[in-house]
Amino acid sequence: MKAVVMCGGTGSRMRPITELIPKPLLPLGDKTILDIILETLKKNHVQTVYLTLGYRGKDIEKHIRNRDYGMDIYPVYEDKPLGTAGGVKNAVGEINEDVLVVSGDNLFSYDLQAVLQEHRNKNAVATIIGSRCKDPRDYGTCVLAKDGRIIRFVEKPNWAHAESDIINTGLYFLNPAVLKMIPDGVFADFANDIFPKLLTMQNALFCSMPDGQWWDLGDIAGYLDAFSDILQNRSFELTNGAVIRQDRLLPNGARILAPAIEQKNVLIGTDSVIGPCCYLGENCVVEERSSLANTMMLQGSHVACETDMQSVFVGQNCQIGSFCKLAKYSALSGNITIADAVRLSENTKIWPGCEIASEQTLQGDVFECSTSNVSLTASGISGEPFHGLSLWQAAELSCAVACADAVQRVGVSTDGTAVSDIYKNVMQSGLLSCSCTVYDFGKIFRVQRNFLSFYCSLDFFIHISSDEDRVHISFSGKNGQPVSSSVFRQITSAFRYRSFRFSEKLLALKYFEMHPMLTVYKAYLSHMLENAKTDLKVAVDCDNKAVYELLTHVLKKKDYEIGYGGILFILDKDAEKFYAIENERAFSYDRILTICCKIEFEAGADVSVGEEASGQLDELATSYGRTLYRAYEDDKELSLEAALLYTRNMWVSDALFCIIRLLNIMQDSEKTLAALSDELPDYYVRHLNLVYAGEPADLQKSLKEIGAVRSSKRLGYFEIEDERGSVRLKPDATGRNLRVLVESGNIELSRELTAEIETKFGNCSIDNSR
């Protein structure tokens, strides 16, 4: 059997450890991940192994040259990045036998011969080995038919999109037909290019769920957990020497709790406790009364007295002071000095060479005295200015945006506050340093970004606003649409692992002042409003003075009488939503949007709306034989037709344009708002947010317990339907917050459904700010 082990990645999820050590050479006891993979392949009768090399490939090649694994091993380099599939084709070419593909950061205990036989019995073109996973967000998931055939993939789903807990382990059996499908010398990826083609072929793509275990060592938590699990269960031999299998009491009162691995010249101080599941490399020192558990400490590192570490990785030559506490899944990359009484929160990562002063509490990524621990979603990020969301983090976020493949032209704007302007300047620097072209629109109200992004054909837009205690960085995607899933995944990965691509041509930076574009917005708004044909009075109310002045100016220019006694529009400060009052009767934004859509359907046009628009629109579109598209956050980009509709009909996402559209309809039809509303069925929509108090991995289970099922119509949503109406719930990317839409035939039922949902989520804190 021949196998390809993919070892060319940069190990971004394992940073900062992989800044110094390539991921396949990360230690598990005395051995490396790659050593154990190769030993496992040898036991499964693999005779030939090709290693695809890239990042620090010479280190990996040197390592294997000094060892005898009992197989033929061939290192293969790529002149340019070829992707997973392209790398395999580059390694083996076209051969006439099945090939096993293995990821260089996974370990497994499967009987590969049995999987190969299953692969051949089913006449599969490709077989993926799957494994069940409680948290599938970092993996490609497989939705299967009863016979094991793969129906579809959901790549790295967030909590809203996860349909299956069966993940792609990165272990594949491929027959020669697959290799022929892969072009020579061209970038090609299994998940994005090859497997989608195989899904269309009968008997092509199967998933095998063999007995055995699979460990993903792709991030620090998985790496440390795998080390502990393997050491406890003796899944592999992690040392060429002896493993401590019984607790030891040393003469000075120190204890070593089994299992543990100890190298030469290790000193353990009085009354210290080492273990269980610890590895101490050569020349390590642990002073008196310190405690280490589930921890790997590489050679030359020193821990002073009364320090506690639980599930921590400590790289080479680190110095850790007295009275420190290092929490679960912390990682010190190497050559780091930590002074006394420092506390590291869970998942803290310290980059090479840092010197940490005493009596600090740190969390997130730490490098050059900065930290990062904020939650990023496709709509943006928020935090306490300068501390909860620091300027350094904002700069990193802008670098991450600039590193997304589809992002080159980026617009930036603020609400005009001093804090927002400071953040904007920092983010512009990050965008420019990573080779983006930056368009600075200055002070706007947030909803204007949709028009400006479309008018200037931008790939991405960043709007920064602030209030008394938080700064908010909001995103929109291509031409003002929601940010697509592929772009969001790239931004998330780059931000999380600091994998940035900085420009080498600083003199070629492009920056444009775009403040005059606000005049174009104003002119276009005025152009879209027809001259007043009746004596309808219009009044405007908005806390944002700029919104009020702009809309009243346009109305006056078109001969509308400004004053009370007709129709009053009350807008939010960002001009994204509004409601209207006519003769003391209130009309919601959802109802007015439906009126505008109905007119489009009557005219024989399709409409593209946002994901939160009323479900009544679907029924209305069907009744007129038209198509309703929805633009979802963190989804694939809209089709060309849907994108054109979304950007052409600015009234869908901009409250000012929606008011203009409504006034035109009222003037043309010579109908009051009440008359237009009465042509629609009675329905009421309520919007609220729920904060989920449990673990994100349990959220879908909790939704099912209250009777919610995955929606077949709205991507990422769950729904509850009964005779009173419908409830639609969508988790955000963090799995902590739910967007909730309650829709029913009258306001009493709407309130009843809302109260019922709040009761069922009694363990959640409710945020009714919307």
Side-chain angles (χ1 to χ4, degrees), residues 64-84:
I64 63 171
R65 294 295 185 205
N66 294 330
R67 288 161 177 79
D68 181 12
Y69 298 97
M71 298 179 291
D72 294 326
I73 301 177
Y74 301 100
V76 181
Y77 291 89
E78 299 173 6
D79 294 332
K80 60 180 181 180
L82 295 174
T84 54

Side-chain angles (χ1 to χ4, degrees), residues 336-552:
I336 290 165
T337 300
I338 297 179
D340 296 340
V342 171
R343 299 177 69 89
L344 301 187
S345 301
E346 189 170 321
N347 294 309
T348 300
K349 302 173 181 66
I350 303 185
W351 290 63
C354 283
E355 296 185 6
I356 310 299
S358 61
E359 300 183 0
Q360 295 190 73
T361 297
L362 302 175
Q363 61 182 357
D365 281 289
V366 181
F367 50 97
E368 299 178 7
C369 302
S370 69
T371 65
S372 175
N373 187 29
V374 287
S375 295
L376 179 65
T377 69
S379 59
I381 195 169
S382 298
E384 180 187 355
F386 309 119
H387 302 289
L389 180 58
S390 70
L391 291 174
W392 188 274
Q393 293 157 1
E396 287 191 317
L397 179 58
S398 62
C399 291
V401 168
C403 290
D405 293 338
V407 174
Q408 178 55 46
R409 298 160 56 87
V410 180
V412 294
S413 62
T414 76
D415 62 352
T417 63
V419 169
S420 300
D421 286 341
I422 292 171
Y423 274 82
K424 184 195 73 172
N425 293 336
V426 168
M427 296 191 75
Q428 283 182 169
S429 299
L431 292 166
L432 290 168
S433 67
C434 291
S435 303
C436 269
T437 301
V438 175
Y439 299 80
D440 182 0
F441 293 91
K443 177 184 177 181
I444 68 172
F445 40 91
R446 188 169 63 191
V447 77
Q448 289 178 306
R449 65 185 179 173
N450 297 331
F451 172 85
L452 298 171
S453 187
F454 169 66
Y455 197 89
C456 298
S457 299
L458 300 182
D459 302 319
F460 203 87
F461 206 104
I462 299 171
H463 179 76
I464 306 162
S465 59
S466 63
D467 47 38
E468 290 182 357
D469 58 1
R470 295 184 76 79
V471 60
H472 309 277
I473 301 174
S474 304
F475 297 153
S476 59
K478 189 173 181 64
N479 294 332
Q481 302 164 30
V483 177
S484 70
S485 56
S486 60
V487 169
F488 178 57
R489 281 201 303 269
Q490 292 179 59
I491 292 171
T492 302
S493 178
F495 182 60
R496 183 177 177 186
Y497 304 116
R498 297 184 66 242
S499 51
F500 308 138
R501 301 189 301 266
F502 293 105
S503 172
E504 297 179 0
K505 300 178 181 179
L506 296 179
L507 296 179
L509 301 183
K510 296 181 180 179
Y511 168 82
F512 299 98
E513 293 265 1
M514 302 298 290
H515 300 67
M517 281 299 302
L518 299 183
T519 304
V520 177
Y521 178 89
K522 183 176 181 180
Y524 191 72
L525 193 68
S526 179
H527 170 73
M528 295 302 295
L529 179 61
E530 299 171 1
N531 288 323
K533 301 175 184 177
T534 67
D535 57 356
L536 175 66
K537 284 186 177 180
V538 180
V540 178
D541 187 7
C542 182
D543 290 338
N544 189 330
K545 184 179 179 181
V547 173
Y548 169 82
E549 291 178 347
L550 174 59
L551 185 54
T552 53

Side-chain angles (χ1 to χ4, degrees), residues 21 24-39 42 49 51 58-75 237-240 263 279 282 299 316:
I21 308 170
L25 298 188
L26 289 175
L28 286 171
D30 297 339
K31 298 182 180 180
T32 68
I33 296 173
L34 182 58
D35 291 335
I36 298 172
I37 290 174
L38 294 174
E39 290 173 2
K42 174 64 176 176
V49 176
L51 300 181
K58 295 297 182 184
D59 293 343
I60 297 172
E61 184 177 0
K62 180 180 178 181
H63 179 83
I64 63 171
R65 294 295 185 205
N66 294 330
R67 288 161 177 79
D68 181 12
Y69 298 97
M71 298 179 291
D72 294 326
I73 301 177
Y74 301 100
E237 292 298 329
L238 300 184
T239 176
N240 295 320
Q263 280 280 18
Y279 171 81
E282 289 186 5
Q299 59 263 36
Q316 297 181 18

Side-chain angles (χ1 to χ4, degrees), residues 152 154 157-163 485 611 630-636 699-700 703 708-719 727-733 735 737-741:
R152 62 181 171 274
V154 182
N158 60 35
W159 292 115
H161 299 154
E163 296 183 43
S485 56
E611 63 180 272
R630 290 186 184 271
Y632 292 91
E633 286 181 3
D634 191 18
D635 185 24
K636 296 179 181 178
L699 175 56
Q700 292 195 24
L703 289 172
V709 297
R710 186 174 290 279
S711 174
S712 60
K713 297 179 180 179
R714 294 206 188 187
L715 184 71
Y717 280 83
F718 291 78
E719 59 188 14
V727 180
R728 295 183 175 88
L729 310 97
K730 181 180 181 180
D732 70 1
N737 305 290
L738 288 92
R739 176 182 297 162
V740 183
L741 311 176

